[in-house]
Amino acid sequence: MKKHALSIFQRIAVAEGKIHGQPPEDVEFHEVGALDSIADIVCACVGIETLGVEKIFVSSLFDGHGVIECAHGTFPLPAPATLEILKGIPLGQIDEPHELITPTGAAIAAEFGESFGTMPALKAEKIGYGVGSRDLTSRPNVLRAVLGELVP
């Protein structure tokens, strides 16, 4: 668990450092240093380890459009750190004027994702939902996790 959590923070530090032209060890965490980001990273790692998850398949990733206000100013979506973290991973945008993928979420997906796209055939055993507080116009603001056995 500790290894993955450190790796996730490292991914974020490397991305932020690249954007700001400084080494990762000099990055000052702002938004990602918030308690909810720390809790997201630690709880994701603990949950994955506790459940004994062997592989994680991540659905196709889509962010909203527009801009985001952060500690360093106004930036287009996807946020610069999110885009940097997701380099090499398929990413699209949808007609939703909000950030849908944070740097923290991007780093967790990049750390654990075996593949990105449609869900493989599996027998669902457990299903969990996390519901966000923002009302979106085009889709539910829900993160779903499905624990199951792959079907050969």
Side-chain angles (χ1 to χ4, degrees):
M1 188 284 293
K2 184 177 178 183
K3 174 186 146 218
H4 286 292
L6 291 174
S7 181
I8 292 168
F9 280 109
Q10 181 68 19
R11 285 175 189 271
I12 298 168
V14 167
E16 290 284 354
K18 183 171 183 181
I19 292 161
H20 298 292
Q22 61 190 59
E25 58 272 10
D26 292 344
V27 168
E28 290 184 33
F29 288 110
H30 298 284
E31 289 86 358
V32 78
L35 289 178
D36 61 333
S37 295
I38 295 168
D40 288 345
I41 293 168
V42 172
C43 290
C45 293
V46 168
I48 290 166
E49 183 177 305
T50 300
L51 290 169
V53 175
E54 295 175 18
K55 294 182 181 183
I56 295 179
F57 302 95
V58 179
S59 64
S60 298
L61 297 176
F62 294 94
D63 205 354
H65 67 86
V67 297
I68 184 168
E69 301 290 332
C70 58
H72 301 292
T74 303
F75 290 94
L77 290 173
T82 299
L83 200 53
E84 184 65 32
I85 291 165
L86 293 176
K87 263 187 179 174
I89 295 172
L91 173 66
Q93 283 185 293
I94 61 167
D95 189 22
E96 192 65 58
H98 305 288
E99 178 183 49
L100 302 177
I101 306 172
T102 64
T104 301
I108 292 169
E111 174 70 14
F112 290 110
E114 173 104 1
S115 67
F116 296 82
T118 58
M119 185 169 63
L122 58 82
K123 291 185 226 175
E125 296 169 4
K126 295 181 181 180
I127 305 164
Y129 295 91
V131 180
S133 59
R134 177 181 285 146
D135 288 328
L136 303 179
T137 59
S138 65
R139 61 185 56 222
N141 188 5
V142 175
L143 174 69
R144 178 176 62 189
V146 179
L147 183 65
E149 184 180 326
L150 289 173
V151 176

